[in-house]
Amino acid sequence: SKDIPIVGVHHLHGHISANYIAAPDLEPPFTAVVVSGGNTDIIDVKDYNDLELLGVTRDDAAGEAYDKVARAIGMGYPGGPKIDAAAKKGNPDAVKFPRVFLEEDSYDFSFSGLKSAGLNYVNKQKMMGAEIVPEDIAASFQQSVVEVLVSKTIKAAKAHGVKKIALAGGVASNSALRTRMQEACERNGFYLSVPAPILCTDNAAMIGVAGYYEYIKGVRSGYDLNAVPNLKLGER
């Protein structure tokens, strides 16, 4: 009735766009890694509206693995913040959890094996009547996740000739991921953008920013627009 245009926004585009709020000077091209309960993706951000998916999770997203392992060691939901806090009190080398890198040229992720390793370790300790130290499990599990995330992101940035990396998604508020990614970026001469934790979780501001860039490009959606849960990045 007000003749106000509606612009459809892809959820991942929204998470990445949170970085434009956190760092107004950030401009494409850059490599983005979106890490949440439902996504673990590496994206080549060529322009504000030109995003190419380079790698995805083949099974469990990192956030989902956090939730399952947290439940197994009695920390409850949501697992991400609880494991992050507990890990600061634990020994990251106490338990040897796997690092899954997949094929040499792949930017995909797989965390189902790591999740299973965490659950199996807890069950084995219980069966043996051995001590379970939740903080050590949390620290060891988190170190495995973060090493893979950082390694693949840096590899993707180098391969695509960019010098900027942006974190996004709920797990981007993880302190270990932020610290390790910053260290890796400094070693490689990269700039790192990380939104404030309040902008990492789902929020209206990030969707508004993504919608703004779509709007100025001329994108308009019909009033019959509906949610498309499996919409691929770049599709409309």
Side-chain angles (χ1 to χ4, degrees), residues 8 25-26 40 49 55 72 74 78-79 92 112 142 146-147 182 191 198 217:
D25 294 334
L26 177 66
T40 309
N49 307 88
S112 64
Q142 179 160 273
V146 169
E147 281 187 14
Q182 181 64 56
Y191 168 82
I198 196 172
K217 189 183 178 182

Side-chain angles (χ1 to χ4, degrees), residues 117-132:
L119 302 182
N120 291 338
Y121 175 82
V122 172
N123 291 332
K124 183 178 179 180
Q125 293 295 98
K126 289 180 178 178
M127 289 174 60
M128 296 172 57
E131 181 183 13
I132 295 176

Side-chain angles (χ1 to χ4, degrees), residues 99-120:
R99 276 77 164 156
V100 180
F101 290 97
L102 301 172
E103 302 85 5
E104 186 177 349
D105 61 345
S106 175
Y107 300 121
D108 286 353
F109 297 96
S110 174
F111 292 109
S112 64
L114 173 59
K115 178 195 70 177
S116 296
L119 302 182
N120 291 338

Side-chain angles (χ1 to χ4, degrees), residues 167-217:
L167 288 180
V171 182
S173 61
N174 179 277
S175 64
L177 176 59
R178 295 162 84 98
T179 299
R180 298 295 176 266
M181 192 69 80
Q182 181 64 56
E183 292 171 349
C185 284
E186 289 176 358
R187 285 195 303 270
N188 289 278
F190 292 168
Y191 168 82
L192 177 65
S193 172
V194 186
I198 196 172
L199 292 173
C200 291
T201 54
D202 293 350
N203 62 86
M206 71 182 196
I207 298 299
V209 173
Y212 165 76
Y213 286 113
E214 293 286 80
Y215 177 81
I216 62 175
K217 189 183 178 182

Side-chain angles (χ1 to χ4, degrees), residues 14-203:
H15 273 302
I16 293 169
S17 297
N19 282 277
Y20 302 132
I21 304 173
D25 294 334
L26 177 66
E27 296 179 350
F30 58 85
T31 297
V33 55
V34 182
V35 193
S36 64
N39 296 92
T40 309
D41 304 311
I42 294 180
I43 298 164
D44 181 20
V45 182
K46 302 175 183 179
D47 204 345
Y48 294 103
N49 307 88
D50 188 1
L51 294 78
E52 180 185 356
L53 199 57
L54 301 178
V56 299
T57 179
R58 296 185 183 178
D59 38 60
D60 295 338
E64 181 181 353
Y66 265 91
D67 289 338
K68 297 287 177 58
V69 172
R71 188 179 304 136
I73 56 181
M75 293 185 179
Y77 182 88
K82 295 179 185 297
I83 284 186
D84 191 21
K88 295 175 182 177
K89 305 173 185 176
N91 176 10
D93 299 315
V95 186
K96 301 301 180 185
F97 285 133
R99 276 77 164 156
V100 180
F101 290 97
L102 301 172
E103 302 85 5
E104 186 177 349
D105 61 345
S106 175
Y107 300 121
D108 286 353
F109 297 96
S110 174
F111 292 109
S112 64
L114 173 59
K115 178 195 70 177
S116 296
L119 302 182
N120 291 338
Y121 175 82
V122 172
N123 291 332
K124 183 178 179 180
Q125 293 295 98
K126 289 180 178 178
M127 289 174 60
M128 296 172 57
E131 181 183 13
I132 295 176
V133 183
E135 293 80 7
D136 285 350
I137 297 173
S140 300
F141 166 80
Q142 179 160 273
Q143 179 173 255
S144 180
V145 173
V146 169
E147 281 187 14
V148 174
L149 288 171
V150 172
S151 175
K152 282 185 173 281
T153 303
I154 295 294
K155 180 181 176 182
K158 288 181 176 179
H160 289 78
V162 298
K163 289 289 188 178
K164 292 178 282 189
I165 289 174
L167 288 180
V171 182
S173 61
N174 179 277
S175 64
L177 176 59
R178 295 162 84 98
T179 299
R180 298 295 176 266
M181 192 69 80
Q182 181 64 56
E183 292 171 349
C185 284
E186 289 176 358
R187 285 195 303 270
N188 289 278
F190 292 168
Y191 168 82
L192 177 65
S193 172
V194 186
I198 196 172
L199 292 173
C200 291
T201 54
D202 293 350
N203 62 86

